[in-house]
Amino acid sequence: MLKGKKILIGITGGIAAYKIPLLIRLLIKNGAEVQVILSPSAKDFVTPLTLATLSNNPVHSGFFDNETGKWHSHVELGLWADLFVVAPATANSIAKMNLGIADNYLLTVYLSARCPVMIAPAMDLDMFKHSATQKNLTALRARKHIIVEPTSGELASGLCGEGRMEEPDEIFKLITSFFSKKKQFKGKKILISAGPTFEAIDPVRFIGNYSTGRMGIEIAKSFANQGGEVFLVLGPTDLTVDHPMIEVFPVTTADEMFDQCQMQFPSCDIAVMTAAVADFKPKVKANQKIKKTDNDLFLELTPTPDILKSLGQKKRDNQLLVGFALETNNEVENALIKLRSKNLDLIILNSLSDPGAGFRHSTNKVTIIDRHENLKTFPLKSKTEVADDITSAIATL
Ligand code: CTP
């Protein structure tokens, strides 16, 4: 799977370093060539002998080899690698990588590496949340480095929270997908809408829905992993998106989402509208909080613009337009009506009557219908897999 791929692993001084031998074993088993660099403090957590044995290569940690007296060139290693994976990456090393501080061998290699860089942060939850760390990570993302988001769980400090390095098998999957994905959307621009919209009633209340945006985010990632340049217009959500090929445009209301989509669509080759857009908004937004009374309250609602339909009306022949249909009854019939009336090339039907499908699930079950009205029904899968099925179907168009 990774035959001939040259992977450089940089280990910095965090307790999660003890998991890296497992990652190296997986990489070697799958045909990769691996070289390892240890930061000075990483040696306290994992031994060079273990790493050298598993990687079949001597481990690098300093500018000089004490045994041979030879000088190691940091430039050589940086040029050798197809991918540089820094895991675990401590808050300290992340900060130095951002600032370009080169006070150890690993950091000099980082500064001279020309290959893509993947960083797997590992630290205590408060260090991870600290604005200094977050700013450093944002800067590294802007440098198009791939950040392997840490997971939530029990930390070495005994505290529980976000900051735990992703497990070796998950990092391995990211590395293989980095190398294996066909870059079939390279050079293509893709517009995606995702998440809910919130329509204000007064300063504290809104009309919204249960969408988390997860399906749209997974589709964005699937396109981006295959080389596409993605513009993600994202309604309010707690989920974060972190991919060098995805530019996020946060919006709150249907009107804002409409404006942003109108702006991006003309320069895009493909548009996939996954957002659960509120179909109605209050006709007026109260300036002050509406006070409780004993009387019934009537809200006058007015329709929001149908974003997908408006894009269907202005779609050029060289553009593909994909919509979703969220249905509770007469599913296929309703999806076909949307496919025709909104001038779509493809519609993805998900039914709320399927267990595990739709809002607030990490799984989904979809039927993909093309413009010739051919149907393909898929089993219940993770939203990541469903996203890959959807982008494959789009690729065949
Ligand atoms: N959509 C949109 N703008 C809206 C409403 C929907 O872009 N104001 C898009 C959705 O992102 C989705 C498709 O239209 O891709 C269908 O959305 P859905 O909620 O299933 O249907 P509606 O068109 O809103 O119709 P209804 O609610 O009556 O089923």
Side-chain angles (χ1 to χ4, degrees):
M1 203 187 301
L2 293 172
K3 205 164 170 24
K5 300 292 176 215
K6 299 187 180 88
I7 299 168
L8 183 60
I9 310 258
I11 306 179
T12 72
I15 181 74
Y18 83 90
K19 296 181 177 176
I20 299 304
L22 295 171
L23 173 64
I24 296 172
R25 230 171 66 123
L26 283 169
L27 294 170
I28 294 285
K29 252 173 77 176
N30 284 277
E33 285 179 51
V34 177
Q35 301 227 42
V36 182
I37 314 173
L38 279 174
S39 79
S41 54
K43 286 186 216 156
D44 295 334
F45 296 97
V46 61
T47 74
L49 181 60
T50 310
L51 300 165
T53 310
L54 289 171
S55 68
N56 305 321
N57 272 313
V59 170
H60 311 269
S61 58
F63 293 97
F64 291 98
D65 186 325
N66 287 338
E67 276 171 28
T68 62
K70 261 174 58 183
W71 183 72
H72 292 303
S73 161
H74 53 276
V75 179
E76 255 169 45
L77 265 185
L79 293 181
W80 170 83
D82 296 317
L83 177 69
F84 185 16
V85 182
V86 184
T90 59
N92 182 42
S93 295
I94 287 171
K96 288 180 180 175
M97 286 161 85
N98 175 31
L99 292 174
I101 295 173
D103 63 355
N104 66 42
Y105 185 67
L106 190 152
L107 292 164
T108 58
V109 173
Y110 165 71
L111 284 182
S112 49
R114 291 194 191 158
C115 60
V117 178
M118 188 179 275
I119 299 167
M123 64 199 74
D124 218 46
L125 75 161
D126 293 309
M127 292 174 87
F128 182 68
K129 265 199 267 166
H130 199 285
S131 61
T133 306
Q134 287 304 318
K135 270 190 193 153
N136 289 329
L137 286 171
T138 304
L140 294 175
R141 279 183 199 113
R143 230 171 263 169
K144 302 225 179 290
H145 295 345
I146 303 159
I147 310 293
V148 183
E149 284 300 313
T151 58
S152 244
E154 203 173 307
L155 301 164
S157 60
L159 297 172
C160 204
E162 207 175 357
R164 212 161 85 151
M165 187 184 78
E166 185 54 282
E167 292 302 322
D169 52 341
E170 291 301 321
I171 300 178
F172 170 74
K173 276 190 216 158
L174 286 171
I175 294 173
T176 47
S177 91
F178 170 83
F179 283 113
S180 67
K181 281 270 189 263
K182 281 188 281 166
K183 304 283 181 199
Q184 57 187 343
F185 292 104
K186 199 164 189 287
K188 299 281 178 226
K189 291 187 176 178
I190 299 123
L191 170 65
I192 295 179
S193 74
T197 64
F198 288 176
E199 312 301 327
I201 296 171
D202 69 14
V204 295
R205 305 180 179 96
F206 59 83
I207 295 174
N209 57 65
Y210 294 122
S211 167
T212 59
R214 188 181 298 279
M215 191 68 252
I217 291 172
E218 290 300 336
I219 292 174
K221 284 202 236 163
S222 177
F223 275 119
N225 288 339
Q226 297 173 75
E229 186 183 352
V230 179
F231 305 99
L232 176 61
V233 181
L234 185 59
T237 171
D238 289 338
L239 300 179
T240 52
V241 187
D242 179 26
H243 195 293
M245 296 296 282
I246 304 178
E247 188 173 352
V248 181
F249 299 90
V251 293
T252 303
T253 64
D255 287 328
E256 287 168 12
M257 189 173 270
F258 178 85
D259 290 345
Q260 195 56 253
C261 288
Q262 298 300 322
M263 214 135 74
Q264 306 297 336
F265 186 60
S267 65
C268 286
D269 305 286
I270 303 167
V272 185
M273 296 290 104
T274 78
V277 186
D279 288 331
F280 295 93
K281 64 177 179 180
K283 204 159 192 173
V284 282
K285 177 193 162 194
N287 287 332
Q288 307 297 338
K289 185 180 171 202
I290 299 172
K291 285 291 177 196
K292 181 170 59 189
T293 67
D294 290 336
N295 302 323
D296 291 346
L297 173 72
F298 295 94
L299 279 177
E300 201 177 344
L301 303 179
T302 184
T304 56
D306 190 320
I307 305 167
L308 181 61
K309 194 169 183 177
S310 77
L311 301 185
Q313 284 160 356
K314 56 173 66 154
K315 185 178 72 164
R316 299 188 307 266
D317 287 349
N318 60 353
Q319 287 180 307
L320 286 178
L321 186 59
V322 180
F324 266 67
L326 179 64
E327 306 296 341
T328 53
N329 58 311
N330 293 336
E331 286 92 342
V332 172
E333 207 174 297
N334 285 331
L336 284 172
I337 292 171
K338 287 176 189 167
L339 176 81
R340 294 177 203 133
S341 66
K342 301 194 187 198
N343 189 23
L344 308 181
D345 298 289
L346 208 68
I347 193 155
I348 320 299
L349 161 65
N350 42 181
S351 167
L352 278 191
S353 48
D354 286 325
F359 293 153
R360 294 191 291 183
H361 293 291
S362 58
T363 49
N364 204 0
K365 184 172 182 320
V366 299
T367 298
I368 300 182
I369 310 175
D370 69 19
R371 59 177 160 239
H372 308 297
E373 305 190 359
N374 298 314
L375 264 75
K376 190 166 178 195
T377 299
F378 292 81
L380 188 74
K381 294 183 178 189
S382 75
K383 284 189 172 168
T384 312
E385 291 168 298
V386 174
D388 285 338
D389 290 338
I390 292 170
T391 55
S392 299
I394 294 170
T396 62
L397 293 180

